[in-house]
Amino acid sequence: MKANATFIFHNVGQGMFYTGDIRIDGNIRVNPFRFVYDCGAKPGVRNLRTAIERYYQDFGKRTRRINMLVLSHLHQDHVNGIDALLKKFKVERVILPYLPPIERLLMAIIESRIGASAWYYQFLQDPVQYLLNNGVEQVILIGSGGEEERTGDEDFPPEPPTGEDLVVRNLRDDPNLEETLFQRENDPEWRSFVQNKKLLVKSHYGYVTGIGIWGFRFFNYKVSCQELSGFSQCLRNIPSSNIKQLIADFHQRNRLRGCYESHMRSLGTNKHQRLNNTSLVLFHAPLMSKEDDVLLSCPIQPYFKFRCRRRCFKACYIGNGHILTGDINLNFQYQEFIQHFHRSIHRICVSSVPHHGAKKNWNDQVLQAVHSPVWVISAGLNNRYGHPSLRVLKSIIVHNRDILWANEISPVIIKQRASW
């Protein structure tokens, strides 16, 4: 059996829109498996909407289905294209990390400083309800699952393709997180969603499989809520059931912004870092395939913002997996991240640089542990954040790795063949 796959870091600028299309060759009649990791960009969404339309024309016009949408975290530059994506496609399952209402309120206050569409605040108010109301069949919330433990479930065998597109039975339940979210959300509808299997609550242990031949593993840091104690004082007279209502209330968000600013020290030196560390990391690879070819191409590749090379190709012979890191900070509990993927690290061929190449999120040690020959940065050419950092670029080049840059001009396209 053979499979052809196409993975694209789309040219959306300062954001992330990564898509995968996996097809089985031969006489086996199985629908292609399609998944998306993040769908956002800023400032503005013109490039993003163009990329969504192009993806629809190239891959989704016939079936109009996406089997799996993974959201790393809920910052606008990773999710503000969801409304356009849901209008174009029927999304079967959405997988995302769980954030309690107080963290979603904090994110709404931060993002309101640069402005956002009304639907975005509705999404933050109740992500599960919003997704199910917009045609999603099932939502899966992922938690860290507590203490890490070494398991051998990375070496799972392929299964014969069946009519079941995405198999989630190998992803472990998280009853502690389930009970926690019932208490924090204080919403009987969430219990009903769980009972009806429209909402699943899982840990990051285990894996899911796409059409029996492709495996997906997740990782989520365990982030303490104690850092929010200062901000929580602003809400001490507000019932927990009303916190979600504040998210969509423009005047209340503005009133709480002053309190947020006064307690910013309790959130650390960078107000975004804590929310960045909720990022859900995704590793995916063909299941125990015998042969693999990986070909990377980028029509126009800028180097250090000074010059461009018209075309580049690279055959990747070491490994066959991809790891997508969102905005995770590799300096925060780094060993926990490495230990979780310790049996998969040798399989990684393509890695995304976290947080668009920000130096605060980069850890040079990752290049010693992850021998991925290709590192992809998704960032805008003229963004105001200085991404990617020259320090990060230098670190990757010194370790003799290749850098590809997905930006407004050029996507990064990966063609991959696998056989069993």
Side-chain angles (χ1 to χ4, degrees), residues 313-379:
F313 294 96
K314 180 175 178 63
C316 184
Y317 301 106
I318 303 175
N320 54 17
H322 301 222
I323 192 162
L324 307 170
T325 53
D327 282 356
I328 198 170
N329 187 348
L330 293 178
N331 296 292
F332 177 76
Q333 300 178 14
Y334 166 75
Q335 290 300 327
E336 183 182 328
F337 168 79
I338 293 299
Q339 180 176 323
H340 186 78
F341 291 113
H342 75 284
R343 295 180 69 96
S344 304
I345 282 175
H346 68 283
R347 302 183 61 193
I348 299 173
C349 173
V350 178
S351 302
S352 71
V353 178
H355 200 187
H356 320 290
K359 62 182 179 181
K360 289 184 178 180
N361 295 61
W362 181 253
N363 186 338
D364 292 339
Q365 295 181 54
V366 74
L367 293 168
Q368 300 173 7
V370 180
H371 299 289
S372 169
V374 178
W375 291 78
V376 179
I377 298 172
S378 182

Coordinates of all heavy atoms in Angstrom, one line a residue, residues 313-379:
F313 N 14.6 23.2 -3.4 CA 14.1 21.8 -3.2 C 15.1 21.1 -2.3 O 16.3 21.3 -2.3 CB 14.0 21.1 -4.5 CG 13.0 21.6 -5.5 CD1 13.3 22.5 -6.5 CD2 11.7 21.2 -5.3 CE1 12.4 23.0 -7.4 CE2 10.7 21.7 -6.2 CZ 11.1 22.6 -7.2
K314 N 14.5 20.3 -1.4 CA 15.4 19.5 -0.6 C 14.8 18.2 -0.3 O 13.6 18.1 0.2 CB 15.7 20.2 0.8 CG 16.6 19.4 1.7 CD 16.9 20.2 2.9 CE 17.8 19.3 3.8 NZ 19.1 19.0 3.2
A315 N 15.5 17.1 -0.6 CA 15.0 15.8 -0.3 C 15.4 15.5 1.2 O 16.6 15.8 1.6 CB 15.6 14.7 -1.2
C316 N 14.5 15.0 2.0 CA 14.8 14.8 3.4 C 14.8 13.3 3.7 O 13.7 12.6 3.5 CB 13.7 15.5 4.2 SG 13.9 15.4 6.0
Y317 N 15.9 12.7 4.0 CA 16.0 11.3 4.1 C 16.0 10.8 5.6 O 16.0 9.6 5.9 CB 17.2 10.8 3.4 CG 17.3 11.1 2.0 CD1 18.1 12.1 1.5 CD2 16.5 10.4 1.1 CE1 18.2 12.4 0.1 CE2 16.5 10.7 -0.3 CZ 17.3 11.7 -0.7 OH 17.4 12.0 -2.1
I318 N 16.1 11.8 6.5 CA 16.2 11.4 7.9 C 14.9 11.7 8.6 O 14.5 12.8 8.7 CB 17.3 12.2 8.6 CG1 18.7 12.0 7.9 CG2 17.4 11.8 10.1 CD1 19.8 12.9 8.5
G319 N 14.2 10.6 8.9 CA 12.9 10.8 9.5 C 11.7 11.0 8.5 O 12.0 11.3 7.4
N320 N 10.5 11.0 9.1 CA 9.3 11.2 8.2 C 8.2 11.9 9.0 O 7.1 12.0 8.5 CB 8.8 9.8 7.7 CG 8.6 8.8 8.8 OD1 8.5 9.2 10.0 ND2 8.4 7.6 8.5
G321 N 8.5 12.4 10.2 CA 7.5 13.1 11.0 C 7.6 14.6 11.0 O 8.7 15.1 10.6
H322 N 6.6 15.2 11.4 CA 6.5 16.7 11.5 C 6.1 17.0 12.9 O 5.3 16.3 13.5 CB 5.4 17.3 10.6 CG 5.6 17.0 9.1 ND1 5.5 17.9 8.1 CD2 6.0 15.8 8.4 CE1 5.7 17.4 6.9 NE2 6.0 16.1 7.1
I323 N 6.7 18.1 13.5 CA 6.3 18.5 14.8 C 5.9 20.0 14.7 O 6.7 20.8 14.1 CB 7.3 18.3 15.9 CG1 6.7 18.5 17.2 CG2 8.6 19.1 15.7 CD1 7.5 17.9 18.4
L324 N 4.7 20.4 15.1 CA 4.2 21.7 15.1 C 4.1 22.3 16.5 O 3.4 21.6 17.3 CB 2.9 21.7 14.3 CG 2.9 21.0 12.9 CD1 1.5 20.9 12.4 CD2 3.8 21.8 12.0
T325 N 4.7 23.4 16.8 CA 4.9 23.8 18.2 C 4.1 25.0 18.6 O 4.1 25.4 19.8 CB 6.4 24.1 18.4 OG1 6.8 25.1 17.4 CG2 7.2 22.9 18.3
G326 N 3.3 25.6 17.7 CA 2.5 26.7 18.1 C 3.3 27.9 18.7 O 4.4 28.2 18.1
D327 N 3.0 28.4 19.8 CA 3.8 29.5 20.4 C 4.4 29.0 21.7 O 4.7 29.8 22.6 CB 2.9 30.7 20.7 CG 2.6 31.5 19.5 OD1 3.2 31.2 18.4 OD2 1.8 32.5 19.6
I328 N 4.6 27.7 21.9 CA 5.2 27.2 23.1 C 6.5 27.7 23.4 O 7.3 28.1 22.5 CB 5.2 25.6 23.0 CG1 5.3 25.0 24.4 CG2 6.4 25.2 22.1 CD1 5.2 23.5 24.4
N329 N 6.9 27.9 24.7 CA 8.2 28.3 25.2 C 9.0 27.1 25.5 O 8.7 26.4 26.4 CB 8.0 29.2 26.4 CG 9.3 29.9 26.8 OD1 10.4 29.5 26.3 ND2 9.2 30.9 27.7
L330 N 10.1 26.9 24.7 CA 10.9 25.8 24.9 C 11.9 25.9 26.1 O 12.6 25.0 26.5 CB 11.8 25.5 23.7 CG 11.0 25.0 22.5 CD1 11.9 24.9 21.3 CD2 10.2 23.7 22.7
N331 N 11.8 27.1 26.8 CA 12.6 27.2 28.1 C 11.8 26.9 29.3 O 12.3 26.9 30.4 CB 13.1 28.7 28.2 CG 14.1 29.0 27.1 OD1 15.2 28.5 27.0 ND2 13.7 29.9 26.1
F332 N 10.5 26.7 29.1 CA 9.6 26.4 30.2 C 9.4 24.9 30.3 O 8.8 24.2 29.4 CB 8.2 27.1 30.0 CG 7.2 26.8 31.0 CD1 7.2 27.4 32.2 CD2 6.1 25.9 30.7 CE1 6.3 27.1 33.2 CE2 5.2 25.6 31.7 CZ 5.2 26.2 32.9
Q333 N 9.9 24.3 31.4 CA 9.8 22.8 31.6 C 10.2 22.1 30.3 O 9.5 21.2 29.9 CB 8.3 22.5 32.0 CG 7.9 23.2 33.3 CD 6.5 22.9 33.7 OE1 5.8 22.0 33.2 NE2 5.9 23.7 34.6
Y334 N 11.3 22.4 29.8 CA 11.8 21.9 28.5 C 11.9 20.3 28.6 O 11.6 19.6 27.6 CB 13.2 22.5 28.2 CG 14.0 21.8 27.1 CD1 13.6 21.9 25.8 CD2 15.1 21.0 27.5 CE1 14.3 21.3 24.8 CE2 15.8 20.3 26.5 CZ 15.4 20.5 25.2 OH 16.1 19.8 24.2
Q335 N 12.4 19.8 29.7 CA 12.6 18.3 29.8 C 11.3 17.6 29.7 O 11.2 16.5 29.2 CB 13.4 18.0 31.1 CG 14.8 18.4 31.1 CD 15.6 17.7 30.0 OE1 15.3 16.6 29.6 NE2 16.6 18.4 29.5
E336 N 10.2 18.2 30.2 CA 8.9 17.6 30.1 C 8.5 17.4 28.7 O 8.0 16.4 28.3 CB 7.9 18.5 30.9 CG 6.5 17.9 30.9 CD 5.5 18.9 31.6 OE1 6.0 19.6 32.5 OE2 4.3 18.9 31.2
F337 N 8.8 18.4 27.8 CA 8.5 18.4 26.4 C 9.3 17.3 25.7 O 8.8 16.4 25.0 CB 8.8 19.7 25.8 CG 8.8 19.8 24.3 CD1 7.7 19.8 23.6 CD2 10.0 19.8 23.6 CE1 7.7 19.8 22.2 CE2 10.1 19.8 22.2 CZ 8.9 19.8 21.5
I338 N 10.6 17.2 26.0 CA 11.5 16.2 25.4 C 11.1 14.8 25.8 O 11.1 13.9 25.0 CB 13.0 16.5 25.7 CG1 13.4 17.8 25.1 CG2 13.9 15.4 25.3 CD1 13.3 17.8 23.5
Q339 N 10.8 14.6 27.1 CA 10.5 13.3 27.6 C 9.2 12.8 27.0 O 9.1 11.6 26.6 CB 10.3 13.3 29.1 CG 10.0 12.0 29.7 CD 9.9 12.0 31.2 OE1 10.7 12.6 31.9 NE2 9.0 11.2 31.8
H340 N 8.2 13.6 26.8 CA 7.0 13.2 26.2 C 7.2 12.6 24.8 O 6.5 11.7 24.4 CB 6.0 14.4 26.2 CG 4.6 14.0 25.7 ND1 3.7 13.4 26.6 CD2 4.0 14.1 24.5 CE1 2.6 13.2 25.9 NE2 2.7 13.6 24.7
F341 N 8.1 13.2 24.0 CA 8.3 12.7 22.6 C 9.6 11.9 22.5 O 10.1 11.8 21.4 CB 8.3 13.9 21.7 CG 7.0 14.6 21.5 CD1 6.8 15.9 22.0 CD2 6.0 14.0 20.9 CE1 5.6 16.6 21.8 CE2 4.7 14.6 20.7 CZ 4.6 15.9 21.1
H342 N 10.1 11.4 23.6 CA 11.4 10.8 23.5 C 11.6 9.7 22.5 O 12.6 9.4 22.0 CB 11.8 10.4 24.9 CG 11.2 9.1 25.4 ND1 9.9 9.0 25.8 CD2 11.7 7.8 25.5 CE1 9.6 7.8 26.2 NE2 10.6 7.0 26.0
R343 N 10.5 8.9 22.3 CA 10.6 7.8 21.3 C 10.2 8.3 19.9 O 10.3 7.5 19.0 CB 9.6 6.7 21.7 CG 10.0 6.1 23.1 CD 9.0 5.0 23.4 NE 9.1 3.8 22.5 CZ 9.9 2.7 22.8 NH1 10.5 2.6 23.9 NH2 9.9 1.7 21.9
S344 N 9.8 9.5 19.7 CA 9.4 10.0 18.4 C 10.5 11.0 17.8 O 10.4 11.3 16.6 CB 8.1 10.7 18.5 OG 7.1 9.9 19.0
I345 N 11.3 11.5 18.7 CA 12.2 12.6 18.3 C 13.1 12.2 17.1 O 13.3 13.0 16.1 CB 13.1 13.0 19.5 CG1 12.3 13.9 20.4 CG2 14.4 13.7 19.0 CD1 13.1 14.3 21.7
H346 N 13.5 10.9 17.0 CA 14.4 10.5 15.9 C 13.7 10.4 14.6 O 14.3 10.4 13.5 CB 15.0 9.1 16.2 CG 14.0 8.0 16.2 ND1 13.1 7.8 17.2 CD2 13.7 7.1 15.3 CE1 12.3 6.8 16.9 NE2 12.7 6.3 15.8
R347 N 12.4 10.5 14.6 CA 11.6 10.4 13.4 C 11.2 11.8 12.8 O 10.7 11.9 11.7 CB 10.3 9.7 13.7 CG 10.4 8.3 14.2 CD 9.1 7.6 14.4 NE 8.4 7.5 13.1 CZ 7.1 7.1 13.0 NH1 6.4 6.9 14.1 NH2 6.6 7.0 11.8
I348 N 11.6 12.8 13.5 CA 11.2 14.2 13.0 C 12.1 14.7 11.8 O 13.3 14.7 11.9 CB 11.3 15.2 14.2 CG1 10.3 14.8 15.3 CG2 10.9 16.6 13.7 CD1 10.4 15.6 16.5
C349 N 11.4 15.0 10.8 CA 12.1 15.5 9.6 C 11.9 17.1 9.5 O 12.8 17.8 9.1 CB 11.6 14.8 8.3 SG 12.2 15.5 6.8
V350 N 10.7 17.5 9.7 CA 10.3 18.9 9.6 C 9.8 19.4 11.0 O 8.9 18.8 11.5 CB 9.2 19.1 8.5 CG1 8.8 20.6 8.4 CG2 9.7 18.6 7.2
S351 N 10.4 20.5 11.4 CA 10.0 21.1 12.7 C 9.6 22.6 12.5 O 10.2 23.3 11.7 CB 11.1 21.0 13.7 OG 11.5 19.7 14.0
S352 N 8.6 23.0 13.2 CA 8.2 24.4 13.1 C 8.9 25.1 14.3 O 9.0 24.6 15.4 CB 6.7 24.7 13.2 OG 6.2 24.4 14.5
V353 N 9.5 26.3 14.1 CA 10.1 27.1 15.1 C 9.0 27.8 15.9 O 8.1 28.4 15.3 CB 11.1 28.1 14.5 CG1 11.7 29.0 15.6 CG2 12.1 27.5 13.7
P354 N 9.0 27.6 17.2 CA 7.9 28.1 18.0 C 7.8 29.7 18.0 O 8.8 30.4 17.9 CB 8.2 27.6 19.4 CG 9.6 27.3 19.5 CD 10.0 26.9 18.1
H355 N 6.6 30.2 18.1 CA 6.3 31.6 18.2 C 7.0 32.4 17.2 O 7.6 33.5 17.4 CB 6.7 32.1 19.6 CG 6.0 33.4 20.0 ND1 6.3 34.1 21.1 CD2 5.0 34.1 19.4 CE1 5.5 35.1 21.2 NE2 4.7 35.2 20.2
H356 N 6.9 32.0 15.9 CA 7.3 32.7 14.8 C 8.8 33.1 14.8 O 9.2 34.1 14.2 CB 6.5 34.0 14.6 CG 5.0 33.8 14.9 ND1 4.2 33.1 14.1 CD2 4.2 34.2 15.9 CE1 3.0 33.0 14.6 NE2 3.0 33.7 15.7
G357 N 9.6 32.4 15.6 CA 11.0 32.6 15.7 C 11.4 33.6 16.8 O 12.5 34.2 16.7
A358 N 10.6 33.8 17.8 CA 10.9 34.7 18.9 C 12.0 34.1 19.7 O 12.0 33.0 20.1 CB 9.6 34.9 19.8
K359 N 13.0 35.0 20.1 CA 14.1 34.5 20.9 C 13.7 34.1 22.3 O 14.4 33.2 22.9 CB 15.2 35.6 20.9 CG 14.8 36.9 21.6 CD 16.0 37.8 21.6 CE 15.6 39.2 22.2 NZ 16.8 40.1 22.1
K360 N 12.7 34.7 22.9 CA 12.3 34.3 24.2 C 11.7 32.9 24.3 O 11.7 32.3 25.4 CB 11.3 35.3 24.8 CG 11.8 36.7 25.1 CD 10.8 37.6 25.7 CE 11.4 38.9 26.1 NZ 10.4 39.8 26.7
N361 N 11.3 32.4 23.2 CA 10.7 31.0 23.2 C 11.6 30.0 22.7 O 11.3 28.8 22.6 CB 9.4 31.0 22.3 CG 8.3 31.9 22.9 OD1 8.5 33.1 23.0 ND2 7.2 31.3 23.2
W362 N 12.8 30.4 22.3 CA 13.8 29.4 21.7 C 14.8 28.9 22.8 O 15.2 29.6 23.7 CB 14.5 30.1 20.6 CG 15.5 29.2 19.9 CD1 16.9 29.3 20.0 CD2 15.2 28.1 19.0 NE1 17.4 28.3 19.2 CE2 16.4 27.6 18.6 CE3 14.0 27.6 18.6 CZ2 16.5 26.5 17.7 CZ3 14.1 26.5 17.7 CH2 15.3 26.0 17.3
N363 N 15.1 27.6 22.6 CA 16.1 27.0 23.5 C 17.1 26.2 22.6 O 16.7 25.3 21.9 CB 15.4 26.0 24.4 CG 16.3 25.4 25.5 OD1 17.6 25.4 25.3 ND2 15.8 25.0 26.6
D364 N 18.4 26.6 22.6 CA 19.4 26.0 21.8 C 19.5 24.5 22.0 O 19.9 23.7 21.1 CB 20.8 26.6 22.0 CG 20.8 28.0 21.5 OD1 20.0 28.4 20.6 OD2 21.7 28.8 21.9
Q365 N 19.1 24.0 23.2 CA 19.2 22.6 23.5 C 18.4 21.7 22.6 O 18.6 20.5 22.4 CB 18.9 22.3 25.0 CG 19.8 23.0 25.9 CD 19.4 22.7 27.4 OE1 19.3 21.5 27.8 NE2 19.2 23.7 28.2
V366 N 17.3 22.3 22.1 CA 16.4 21.5 21.3 C 17.0 20.9 20.0 O 16.7 19.9 19.5 CB 15.1 22.3 20.9 CG1 15.4 23.3 19.8 CG2 14.0 21.4 20.5
L367 N 18.0 21.7 19.5 CA 18.8 21.2 18.3 C 19.6 20.0 18.6 O 20.0 19.3 17.7 CB 19.6 22.4 17.8 CG 18.8 23.5 17.2 CD1 19.7 24.7 16.9 CD2 18.1 23.1 15.9
Q368 N 20.0 19.8 19.8 CA 20.8 18.6 20.2 C 19.9 17.4 20.4 O 20.3 16.3 20.2 CB 21.6 18.9 21.5 CG 22.6 20.0 21.4 CD 23.2 20.4 22.7 OE1 23.0 19.7 23.7 NE2 23.9 21.5 22.7
A369 N 18.7 17.6 20.8 CA 17.7 16.5 21.0 C 16.9 16.2 19.8 O 16.7 15.0 19.5 CB 16.8 16.9 22.2
V370 N 16.5 17.2 19.0 CA 15.7 17.0 17.8 C 16.6 17.2 16.6 O 17.0 18.3 16.3 CB 14.5 18.0 17.8 CG1 13.7 17.8 16.5 CG2 13.6 17.8 19.0
H371 N 16.9 16.1 15.9 CA 17.8 16.2 14.8 C 17.1 16.5 13.5 O 17.6 16.1 12.4 CB 18.6 14.8 14.7 CG 19.4 14.5 15.9 ND1 20.5 15.3 16.2 CD2 19.2 13.6 16.9 CE1 21.0 14.8 17.4 NE2 20.2 13.8 17.8
S372 N 16.0 17.1 13.5 CA 15.3 17.5 12.3 C 16.2 18.4 11.4 O 16.7 19.4 11.9 CB 14.0 18.3 12.7 OG 13.4 18.9 11.6
P373 N 16.3 18.0 10.2 CA 17.2 18.8 9.3 C 16.6 20.0 8.7 O 17.3 20.9 8.2 CB 17.5 17.8 8.1 CG 16.3 16.9 8.1 CD 15.8 16.7 9.5
V374 N 15.3 20.2 8.9 CA 14.6 21.3 8.3 C 13.7 22.0 9.4 O 12.9 21.3 10.1 CB 13.7 20.9 7.1 CG1 12.9 22.2 6.6 CG2 14.5 20.3 6.0
W375 N 13.9 23.3 9.5 CA 13.1 24.1 10.5 C 12.3 25.2 9.7 O 12.9 25.9 9.0 CB 14.0 24.7 11.6 CG 14.6 23.7 12.5 CD1 15.6 22.8 12.2 CD2 14.1 23.3 13.8 NE1 15.9 22.0 13.2 CE2 14.9 22.2 14.2 CE3 13.1 23.8 14.6 CZ2 14.8 21.7 15.5 CZ3 12.9 23.2 15.9 CH2 13.8 22.1 16.3
V376 N 11.0 25.3 10.0 CA 10.2 26.2 9.2 C 9.7 27.3 10.2 O 9.2 27.0 11.3 CB 9.0 25.5 8.6 CG1 8.1 26.5 7.9 CG2 9.4 24.4 7.7
I377 N 9.8 28.5 9.7 CA 9.3 29.7 10.5 C 8.2 30.3 9.7 O 8.2 30.5 8.5 CB 10.4 30.7 10.6 CG1 11.6 30.2 11.4 CG2 9.9 32.0 11.3 CD1 12.8 31.1 11.4
S378 N 7.1 30.5 10.4 CA 5.9 31.1 9.9 C 5.8 32.5 10.5 O 5.4 32.7 11.6 CB 4.6 30.3 10.1 OG 3.5 30.9 9.5
A379 N 6.1 33.6 9.7 CA 6.2 34.9 10.2 C 6.0 35.9 9.1 O 6.4 35.6 7.9 CB 7.5 35.2 11.0

